[in-house]
PDB file of all heavy atoms in Angstrom:
ATOM      1  N   ASN E1420      -9.217  -4.119   6.675  1.00 94.00           N
ATOM      2  CA  ASN E1420     -10.616  -3.771   6.912  1.00 94.00           C
ATOM      3  C   ASN E1420     -11.085  -4.267   8.275  1.00 94.00           C
ATOM      4  O   ASN E1420     -11.837  -3.572   8.976  1.00 94.00           O
ATOM      5  CB  ASN E1420     -11.491  -4.370   5.800  1.00 94.00           C
ATOM      6  CG  ASN E1420     -12.865  -3.736   5.764  1.00 94.00           C
ATOM      7  OD1 ASN E1420     -12.984  -2.516   5.881  1.00 94.00           O
ATOM      8  ND2 ASN E1420     -13.890  -4.544   5.626  1.00 94.00           N
ATOM      9  N   LYS E1421     -10.623  -5.430   8.667  1.00 96.00           N
ATOM     10  CA  LYS E1421     -10.979  -5.933  10.000  1.00 96.00           C
ATOM     11  C   LYS E1421     -10.395  -5.031  11.084  1.00 96.00           C
ATOM     12  O   LYS E1421     -11.058  -4.719  12.073  1.00 96.00           O
ATOM     13  CB  LYS E1421     -10.466  -7.371  10.177  1.00 96.00           C
ATOM     14  CG  LYS E1421     -11.244  -8.387   9.353  1.00 96.00           C
ATOM     15  CD  LYS E1421     -10.980  -9.824   9.793  1.00 96.00           C
ATOM     16  CE  LYS E1421      -9.550 -10.240   9.588  1.00 96.00           C
ATOM     17  NZ  LYS E1421      -9.325 -11.669   9.901  1.00 96.00           N
ATOM     18  N   ARG E1422      -9.140  -4.612  10.890  1.00 96.00           N
ATOM     19  CA  ARG E1422      -8.515  -3.717  11.868  1.00 96.00           C
ATOM     20  C   ARG E1422      -9.286  -2.408  11.979  1.00 96.00           C
ATOM     21  O   ARG E1422      -9.480  -1.877  13.068  1.00 96.00           O
ATOM     22  CB  ARG E1422      -7.091  -3.389  11.410  1.00 96.00           C
ATOM     23  CG  ARG E1422      -6.009  -4.049  12.211  1.00 96.00           C
ATOM     24  CD  ARG E1422      -4.694  -3.907  11.492  1.00 96.00           C
ATOM     25  NE  ARG E1422      -4.059  -2.619  11.679  1.00 96.00           N
ATOM     26  CZ  ARG E1422      -3.096  -2.147  10.883  1.00 96.00           C
ATOM     27  NH1 ARG E1422      -2.671  -2.853   9.865  1.00 96.00           N
ATOM     28  NH2 ARG E1422      -2.555  -0.967  11.118  1.00 96.00           N
ATOM     29  N   ARG E1423      -9.697  -1.872  10.822  1.00 96.00           N
ATOM     30  CA  ARG E1423     -10.441  -0.608  10.840  1.00 96.00           C
ATOM     31  C   ARG E1423     -11.733  -0.762  11.635  1.00 96.00           C
ATOM     32  O   ARG E1423     -12.076   0.090  12.467  1.00 96.00           O
ATOM     33  CB  ARG E1423     -10.756  -0.157   9.407  1.00 96.00           C
ATOM     34  CG  ARG E1423     -11.510   1.150   9.331  1.00 96.00           C
ATOM     35  CD  ARG E1423     -11.483   1.758   7.937  1.00 96.00           C
ATOM     36  NE  ARG E1423     -12.016   0.870   6.923  1.00 96.00           N
ATOM     37  CZ  ARG E1423     -13.313   0.728   6.653  1.00 96.00           C
ATOM     38  NH1 ARG E1423     -14.203   1.441   7.324  1.00 96.00           N
ATOM     39  NH2 ARG E1423     -13.728  -0.097   5.737  1.00 96.00           N
ATOM     40  N   ASN E1424     -12.432  -1.861  11.417  1.00 96.00           N
ATOM     41  CA  ASN E1424     -13.684  -2.084  12.149  1.00 96.00           C
ATOM     42  C   ASN E1424     -13.446  -2.259  13.641  1.00 96.00           C
ATOM     43  O   ASN E1424     -14.226  -1.770  14.460  1.00 96.00           O
ATOM     44  CB  ASN E1424     -14.412  -3.292  11.563  1.00 96.00           C
ATOM     45  CG  ASN E1424     -15.283  -2.909  10.380  1.00 96.00           C
ATOM     46  OD1 ASN E1424     -16.391  -2.427  10.551  1.00 96.00           O
ATOM     47  ND2 ASN E1424     -14.769  -3.075   9.171  1.00 96.00           N
ATOM     48  N   GLU E1425     -12.359  -2.943  14.003  1.00 97.00           N
ATOM     49  CA  GLU E1425     -12.045  -3.108  15.424  1.00 97.00           C
ATOM     50  C   GLU E1425     -11.760  -1.755  16.075  1.00 97.00           C
ATOM     51  O   GLU E1425     -12.220  -1.466  17.187  1.00 97.00           O
ATOM     52  CB  GLU E1425     -10.815  -4.017  15.591  1.00 97.00           C
ATOM     53  CG  GLU E1425     -11.114  -5.484  15.320  1.00 97.00           C
ATOM     54  CD  GLU E1425      -9.842  -6.312  15.103  1.00 97.00           C
ATOM     55  OE1 GLU E1425      -8.731  -5.752  15.160  1.00 97.00           O
ATOM     56  OE2 GLU E1425      -9.977  -7.510  14.867  1.00 97.00           O
ATOM     57  N   LEU E1426     -11.014  -0.912  15.345  1.00 97.00           N
ATOM     58  CA  LEU E1426     -10.680   0.403  15.909  1.00 97.00           C
ATOM     59  C   LEU E1426     -11.905   1.317  15.949  1.00 97.00           C
ATOM     60  O   LEU E1426     -12.029   2.154  16.855  1.00 97.00           O
ATOM     61  CB  LEU E1426      -9.533   1.044  15.122  1.00 97.00           C
ATOM     62  CG  LEU E1426      -8.171   0.357  15.342  1.00 97.00           C
ATOM     63  CD1 LEU E1426      -7.133   0.852  14.350  1.00 97.00           C
ATOM     64  CD2 LEU E1426      -7.674   0.587  16.769  1.00 97.00           C
ATOM     65  N   ASN E1427     -12.813   1.170  14.987  1.00 96.00           N
ATOM     66  CA  ASN E1427     -14.078   1.914  15.060  1.00 96.00           C
ATOM     67  C   ASN E1427     -14.794   1.584  16.364  1.00 96.00           C
ATOM     68  O   ASN E1427     -15.298   2.472  17.061  1.00 96.00           O
ATOM     69  CB  ASN E1427     -15.003   1.540  13.898  1.00 96.00           C
ATOM     70  CG  ASN E1427     -14.587   2.188  12.589  1.00 96.00           C
ATOM     71  OD1 ASN E1427     -13.797   3.136  12.586  1.00 96.00           O
ATOM     72  ND2 ASN E1427     -15.115   1.685  11.491  1.00 96.00           N
ATOM     73  N   MET E1428     -14.858   0.299  16.683  1.00 97.00           N
ATOM     74  CA  MET E1428     -15.541  -0.129  17.903  1.00 97.00           C
ATOM     75  C   MET E1428     -14.833   0.434  19.135  1.00 97.00           C
ATOM     76  O   MET E1428     -15.490   0.925  20.061  1.00 97.00           O
ATOM     77  CB  MET E1428     -15.599  -1.656  17.968  1.00 97.00           C
ATOM     78  CG  MET E1428     -16.546  -2.283  16.963  1.00 97.00           C
ATOM     79  SD  MET E1428     -18.282  -1.857  17.228  1.00 97.00           S
ATOM     80  CE  MET E1428     -18.682  -2.909  18.632  1.00 97.00           C
ATOM     81  N   SER E1429     -13.506   0.389  19.153  1.00 97.00           N
ATOM     82  CA  SER E1429     -12.771   0.920  20.303  1.00 97.00           C
ATOM     83  C   SER E1429     -13.000   2.415  20.462  1.00 97.00           C
ATOM     84  O   SER E1429     -13.170   2.906  21.575  1.00 97.00           O
ATOM     85  CB  SER E1429     -11.269   0.658  20.132  1.00 97.00           C
ATOM     86  OG  SER E1429     -11.016  -0.720  20.117  1.00 97.00           O
ATOM     87  N   ALA E1430     -13.002   3.140  19.343  1.00 97.00           N
ATOM     88  CA  ALA E1430     -13.180   4.589  19.410  1.00 97.00           C
ATOM     89  C   ALA E1430     -14.588   4.949  19.873  1.00 97.00           C
ATOM     90  O   ALA E1430     -14.800   5.974  20.518  1.00 97.00           O
ATOM     91  CB  ALA E1430     -12.890   5.223  18.050  1.00 97.00           C
ATOM     92  N   LEU E1431     -15.551   4.102  19.562  1.00 96.00           N
ATOM     93  CA  LEU E1431     -16.924   4.363  20.000  1.00 96.00           C
ATOM     94  C   LEU E1431     -17.151   3.947  21.455  1.00 96.00           C
ATOM     95  O   LEU E1431     -18.080   4.425  22.100  1.00 96.00           O
ATOM     96  CB  LEU E1431     -17.918   3.624  19.101  1.00 96.00           C
ATOM     97  CG  LEU E1431     -18.150   4.246  17.734  1.00 96.00           C
ATOM     98  CD1 LEU E1431     -19.000   3.320  16.874  1.00 96.00           C
ATOM     99  CD2 LEU E1431     -18.840   5.602  17.860  1.00 96.00           C
ATOM    100  N   GLY E1432     -16.316   3.039  21.962  1.00 96.00           N
ATOM    101  CA  GLY E1432     -16.474   2.609  23.350  1.00 96.00           C
ATOM    102  C   GLY E1432     -17.826   1.959  23.582  1.00 96.00           C
ATOM    103  O   GLY E1432     -18.294   1.165  22.769  1.00 96.00           O
ATOM    104  N   TYR E1433     -18.476   2.336  24.691  1.00 95.00           N
ATOM    105  CA  TYR E1433     -19.794   1.753  25.009  1.00 95.00           C
ATOM    106  C   TYR E1433     -20.794   2.001  23.882  1.00 95.00           C
ATOM    107  O   TYR E1433     -21.632   1.162  23.579  1.00 95.00           O
ATOM    108  CB  TYR E1433     -20.355   2.339  26.308  1.00 95.00           C
ATOM    109  CG  TYR E1433     -19.575   1.995  27.556  1.00 95.00           C
ATOM    110  CD1 TYR E1433     -19.087   2.993  28.389  1.00 95.00           C
ATOM    111  CD2 TYR E1433     -19.334   0.669  27.905  1.00 95.00           C
ATOM    112  CE1 TYR E1433     -18.377   2.684  29.539  1.00 95.00           C
ATOM    113  CE2 TYR E1433     -18.627   0.346  29.050  1.00 95.00           C
ATOM    114  CZ  TYR E1433     -18.149   1.350  29.864  1.00 95.00           C
ATOM    115  OH  TYR E1433     -17.449   1.042  30.994  1.00 95.00           O
ATOM    116  N   ASP E1434     -20.693   3.198  23.263  1.00 92.00           N
ATOM    117  CA  ASP E1434     -21.672   3.532  22.213  1.00 92.00           C
ATOM    118  C   ASP E1434     -21.664   2.521  21.074  1.00 92.00           C
ATOM    119  O   ASP E1434     -22.670   2.311  20.398  1.00 92.00           O
ATOM    120  CB  ASP E1434     -21.387   4.926  21.637  1.00 92.00           C
ATOM    121  CG  ASP E1434     -21.704   6.020  22.650  1.00 92.00           C
ATOM    122  OD1 ASP E1434     -22.345   5.701  23.671  1.00 92.00           O
ATOM    123  OD2 ASP E1434     -21.306   7.184  22.414  1.00 92.00           O
ATOM    124  N   GLY E1435     -20.502   1.906  20.853  1.00 94.00           N
ATOM    125  CA  GLY E1435     -20.398   0.938  19.759  1.00 94.00           C
ATOM    126  C   GLY E1435     -21.144  -0.349  20.031  1.00 94.00           C
ATOM    127  O   GLY E1435     -21.415  -1.124  19.110  1.00 94.00           O
ATOM    128  N   LEU E1436     -21.476  -0.572  21.305  1.00 94.00           N
ATOM    129  CA  LEU E1436     -22.121  -1.837  21.671  1.00 94.00           C
ATOM    130  C   LEU E1436     -23.616  -1.844  21.380  1.00 94.00           C
ATOM    131  O   LEU E1436     -24.259  -2.892  21.418  1.00 94.00           O
ATOM    132  CB  LEU E1436     -21.895  -2.132  23.160  1.00 94.00           C
ATOM    133  CG  LEU E1436     -20.425  -2.195  23.586  1.00 94.00           C
ATOM    134  CD1 LEU E1436     -20.319  -2.361  25.091  1.00 94.00           C
ATOM    135  CD2 LEU E1436     -19.722  -3.337  22.871  1.00 94.00           C
TER     136      LEU E1436
END
Side-chain angles (χ1 to χ4, degrees):
Chain E
N1420 196 43
K1421 288 195 296 185
R1422 252 167 81 198
R1423 181 165 57 83
N1424 274 279
E1425 286 164 0
L1426 289 169
N1427 283 344
M1428 289 295 284
S1429 296
L1431 284 172
Y1433 294 124
D1434 290 348
L1436 303 175

